[in-house]
Amino acid sequence: MDTGNWSKVTEFIILGFPQLQGVQTYLFFLLLLIYLITILGNLLIFLVVRLDVKLHTPMYQFISVLSLLELGYTATTIPKMLANLLSKKKTISFSGCLLQIYFFHSFGASECYLLTAMAYDRYLAICQPLQYPTLMTPALCTKMAAGCWLGGLAGPIIEISLVSQLPFCGPNCIQHIFCDFPPILSLACTDTSINILVDFIINSCKILVTFLLILTSYVQIILTVLRIPSAEGKKKAFSTCASHLAVVLIFFGGILFMYVRLKKSYSLDYDRALAVVYSILTPFLNPFIYSLRNKEIKDALRRQLMEL
């Protein structure tokens, strides 16, 4: 293919929700409110777990790391979304777009790994309670959390390097609410079948494998809980997993349909709706899921407030 007449694209236009142009200001304030609650909620959980000695257990350490991840996850996309809602020039540079994709997928991959580590923690606590203190030590918990971060940071490097080498000659309008692999690949001026295949393989390994590991852990947990003779014992065992399971279903429910596929896109509205679920709603709901359903965190919050 002749590349001599191509004009290189140096910036993209993020269209967001073009069909909602008349209510952009209202969307701005709604998204701003959601973002502020997300920041305050996740920051509050992180600080409470770190400050309260009674919560210095593996399960709550993982929850605090998850809250920290959600802060980075939302900071990657939502501030730019807010700026675009008020701006007529909804542009982002090519390098800025790649950076947004990199950090968004880094934090997303880290969350996949962390939710898997949390499922393994619950498996050990319920299925092997006598060995749990010796198996899930603070040192192992720290190493697993660090591994989740490092694994996430390394995850998108191959995909980003491949996208950075693609030619973009126009159009430059991203049919999405932020920069992401599927919408940016559709703008390349060359065949992107290799990129789509690589994305599919990496996402399948990253998302499907972690999701199957979580399912395996919960199958073992359910089988163990069903063997508990007392109804109170069953309720107590399930209550320690309910919050984590809810987060897993919401988060993986969105990313499975978005990233584990060989097509570039199903429909623009479909992709935008899924993006809202896993990039905005999941981080927003996490503090409510973990705090409102968790007596220990609510008690710890009361203790911290009384000490002020």
Side-chain angles (χ1 to χ4, degrees):
M1 185 181 295
D2 181 20
T3 62
N5 295 326
W6 284 356
S7 58
K8 185 178 180 181
V9 170
T10 58
E11 65 179 18
F12 295 103
I13 300 172
I14 302 176
L15 294 181
F17 291 96
Q19 67 272 38
L20 300 176
Q21 290 295 330
V23 292
Q24 297 284 301
T25 303
Y26 299 106
L27 285 178
F28 171 83
F29 286 108
L30 176 61
L31 182 58
L32 179 62
L33 178 63
I34 291 173
Y35 187 41
L36 291 176
I37 293 173
T38 300
I39 293 174
L40 291 174
N42 283 290
L43 186 60
L44 186 63
I45 289 179
F46 177 78
L47 292 175
V48 166
V49 172
R50 293 296 170 182
L51 293 174
D52 197 288
V53 179
K54 291 185 178 180
L55 296 183
H56 288 183
T57 62
M59 182 177 78
Y60 291 107
Q61 294 301 311
F62 284 134
I63 290 175
S64 71
V65 175
L66 178 63
S67 295
L68 191 61
L69 267 176
E70 299 290 29
L71 292 174
Y73 190 62
T74 52
T76 304
T77 56
I78 295 183
K80 184 61 178 174
M81 288 187 214
L82 290 169
N84 287 343
L85 285 172
L86 293 183
S87 175
K88 292 184 178 179
K89 188 181 180 183
K90 308 175 189 297
T91 59
I92 186 171
S93 67
F94 180 71
S95 58
C97 189
L98 290 184
L99 281 173
Q100 187 179 66
I101 295 173
Y102 171 75
F103 284 109
F104 181 74
H105 281 265
S106 291
F107 288 121
S110 296
E111 185 160 343
C112 287
Y113 304 143
L114 186 65
L115 290 173
T116 307
M118 294 169 75
Y120 178 66
D121 172 70
R122 292 299 81 207
Y123 161 76
L124 290 179
I126 294 173
C127 299
Q128 301 185 43
L130 298 179
Q131 293 84 13
Y132 178 72
T134 56
L135 292 174
M136 186 57 72
T137 61
L140 177 60
C141 180
T142 301
K143 290 177 182 178
M144 290 176 70
C148 293
W149 279 95
L150 294 175
L153 290 173
I157 291 177
I158 295 176
E159 294 162 286
I160 287 291
S161 63
L162 289 174
V163 171
S164 66
Q165 298 172 34
L166 291 174
F168 294 91
C169 53
N172 66 337
C173 294
I174 295 177
Q175 301 280 351
H176 204 46
I177 58 176
F178 52 80
C179 288
D180 204 357
F181 286 123
I184 200 174
L185 288 178
S186 66
L187 300 179
C189 300
T190 186
D191 179 41
T192 58
S193 57
I194 295 297
N195 300 76
I196 294 172
L197 180 60
V198 170
D199 287 351
F200 175 76
I201 293 172
I202 292 176
N203 290 330
S204 296
C205 293
K206 179 172 58 183
I207 298 173
L208 284 180
V209 171
T210 52
F211 186 61
L212 289 174
L213 288 173
I214 292 171
L215 285 181
T216 301
S217 296
Y218 272 102
V219 168
Q220 295 298 319
I221 288 170
I222 291 171
L223 292 175
T224 300
V225 170
L226 290 177
R227 289 197 292 267
I228 298 176
S230 67
E232 184 63 29
K234 291 179 181 178
K235 182 180 177 181
K236 184 178 179 181
F238 273 128
S239 67
T240 64
C241 304
S243 298
H244 175 259
L245 188 57
V247 171
V248 166
L249 293 176
I250 296 172
F251 180 70
F252 278 93
I255 63 174
L256 275 169
F257 289 105
M258 182 67 184
Y259 296 110
V260 185
R261 64 193 191 191
L262 283 169
K263 292 177 66 176
K264 291 181 181 179
S265 178
Y266 286 112
S267 77
L268 300 178
D269 292 335
Y270 174 91
D271 286 353
R272 289 187 182 109
L274 284 178
V276 168
V277 171
Y278 62 76
S279 68
I280 299 175
L281 290 184
T282 302
F284 170 72
L285 292 174
N286 279 0
F288 295 100
I289 293 172
Y290 279 113
S291 61
L292 295 179
R293 293 185 56 86
N294 194 295
K295 183 177 182 298
E296 286 77 9
I297 288 183
K298 288 189 286 188
D299 290 344
L301 180 59
R302 293 192 193 98
R303 288 193 295 269
Q304 294 303 318
L305 291 175
M306 291 176 62
E307 292 177 4
L308 295 178

